[in-house]
Amino acid sequence: MSDPAHAGVYRLEAPRLAALCDIPHGAVGDASGVDWHCLAAAPRWNREALLDGLAASLAFPDYFGRNWDAAWDCLTELAWAPGRPRVMAVPAAPMEVGAMATFVELMADAAEHWVARGQILVTLIGWNDEASAGLPALPDLPPQAMDGSA
């Protein structure tokens, strides 16, 4: 995950993503050099669930306005250790396609913002055929991104 070319939004098989989210955050971050943030599972990904999950997982300030523009503001004001990639994980669940498409665009824009500043932001969306029906095509996470070879 330390290669800036891996910044962006990817799909990852739901069981593999769930296994990564089950590891305690400190253990994953300490062992891998990556700051992991997993959104809490939701019965359905809609606008509210995505915004609330993002705010909770990244500890957005209390004044966060629970809208896409406010999420952008908070995402671009994050602070984290230099050279330490940040990974957002979104567990698989049925979704409102419009809300997820907006979320994907938001996270892709944020990844571009951060890579221009020397930081890496990766968003992994849990993928299975049922939960992801209608979601625009996303690239699979390159295998070398997870094994540290790139």
Side-chain angles (χ1 to χ4, degrees), residues 126-145:
W127 194 268
N128 66 38
D129 290 337
E130 289 176 26
S132 307
L135 182 65
L138 290 174
D140 290 320
L141 182 67
Q144 67 271 23

Side-chain angles (χ1 to χ4, degrees), residues 43-46 50 91-101 125-127 130-136:
R44 180 169 182 79
W45 290 120
N46 58 25
L50 288 163
M95 62 187 69
E96 290 181 7
V97 174
M100 185 56 78
I125 301 197
W127 194 268
E130 289 176 26
S132 307
L135 182 65

Side-chain angles (χ1 to χ4, degrees), residues 77-124:
E77 295 171 359
L78 293 172
W80 70 83
R84 198 168 165 95
R86 177 163 285 178
V87 176
M88 297 299 309
V90 181
M95 62 187 69
E96 290 181 7
V97 174
M100 185 56 78
T102 301
F103 178 79
V104 166
E105 182 179 343
L106 171 77
M107 298 309 291
D109 288 348
E112 287 179 22
H113 168 87
W114 284 111
V115 99
R117 287 153 182 79
Q119 295 287 62
I120 299 168
L121 175 64
V122 175
T123 302
L124 302 176

